[in-house]
Amino acid sequence: MSRHLLNILDLSVTEIDELIATADDILACPEKYREVCKYKTLATLFFEPSTRTRLSFESAMLSLGGNVLGFSDSASSSAKKGESVADTVAIVSGYADIIAMRHPKEGAPLVASEHSRVPVINAGDGGHHHPTQTLTDLLTIRHEKGRFDGLTVGLCGDLKFGRTVHSLIEALSRYEGIRFVLISPEELKLPSFVKQTYIKEKGLPYSQSTSLEEVIGELDILYMTRVQRERFFNEEEYLRLKDSYILTPEKMRLAKEDMIVMHPLPRVNEIAVEVDDDPRACYFRQAYYGKFIRMALIMKLLGLSAEKGETV
Ligand code: CP
């Protein structure tokens, strides 16, 4: 039976540590991995736009010696003619060994997994989850901060619709000494089920603020997010909220010298380009790491390793 990745909690903390170790080994010795996925094919089924996730998945599979196929726009697939996700995946799982899928509807990757003969990876479903972004974030934190425990993590911007925030909170809630600082306008607060299940019920310390300036000095990590225009019902509301937070060099002067700035990207206006030259800005390094953790994940779900070939 295939193993899927729909939610970051589908992976144990130990498995995440193993993926990070594999990604580090790939970064150090990429030549060892050049043929691990020879004759294997990844399908990328993207019903929503993407740059980083789709291309890093494709780059990951190509660097493992495998092949890629798929679509980057649902309008060029038979979804445009009304084909269901279930039927699409039932067909594509006969053409590929593993599927990465992004869809605007929450739960679509779960439906896909129920109709697939091969592993399905959730590459983002609506405002729900984005587990491979979280793996990317965790690899970045390990590289930049050296640990997961004892960090004060500020999440800023669209905490309501930002699926990367939801998955990251779920993941970090499993480590010791984590404190969350939730920074958003009232209208874009973290959904209550995420706050209740992963912060309150676990007894994790947290605070909420509408002001980035007031709390930035407390943070070890500032995780900025884009206001998710595509999830708003009302364009006027989006226009009113879109520039709620703009990180500038002036605000960075209020932060700790070793605070890091993360962002899943794409950025619109929420981080001024002048911040890019600050060594604490690590969002471009973060996007780079995404390829290597996805290489590790593809190998894991296919049961392959550089040392042993097929492991299952
Ligand atoms: N971080 C992220 O998911 O980026 P893309 O939308 O470009 O894939």
Side-chain angles (χ1 to χ4, degrees), residues 46 49-54 102 123 130 133 163-164 264-266:
F46 276 59
S50 167
T51 296
R52 275 147 295 275
T53 310
R54 186 175 64 83
R102 171 171 290 186
H130 194 345
Q133 180 62 48
R163 59 194 173 200
T164 64
L265 304 178

Side-chain angles (χ1 to χ4, degrees), residues 235-248:
E235 179 73 1
E236 275 177 24
E237 182 83 335
Y238 165 74
L239 293 173
R240 189 171 65 77
L241 294 170
K242 72 184 175 70
D243 290 332
S244 297
Y245 302 100
I246 301 177
L247 184 64
T248 58

Side-chain angles (χ1 to χ4, degrees), residues 30-51:
E31 64 284 353
K32 256 171 65 183
Y33 294 85
R34 274 193 193 134
E35 297 204 335
V36 173
C37 286
K38 202 172 171 186
Y39 307 123
K40 300 289 183 188
T41 299
L42 165 76
T44 51
L45 310 184
F46 276 59
F47 297 82
E48 246 193 3
S50 167
T51 296

Side-chain angles (χ1 to χ4, degrees), residues 16-27:
I16 288 175
D17 283 343
E18 288 165 0
L19 287 172
I20 289 174
T22 303
D24 283 341
D25 195 52
I26 297 169
L27 279 157

Side-chain angles (χ1 to χ4, degrees), residues 18 37 57 65 67 100 136 155 196 214 237 242-243 250 285:
E18 288 165 0
C37 286
F57 261 119
N67 304 301
T136 301
L155 302 136
Q196 184 63 30
E214 280 178 16
E237 182 83 335
K242 72 184 175 70
D243 290 332
E250 292 70 41
R285 297 194 289 280

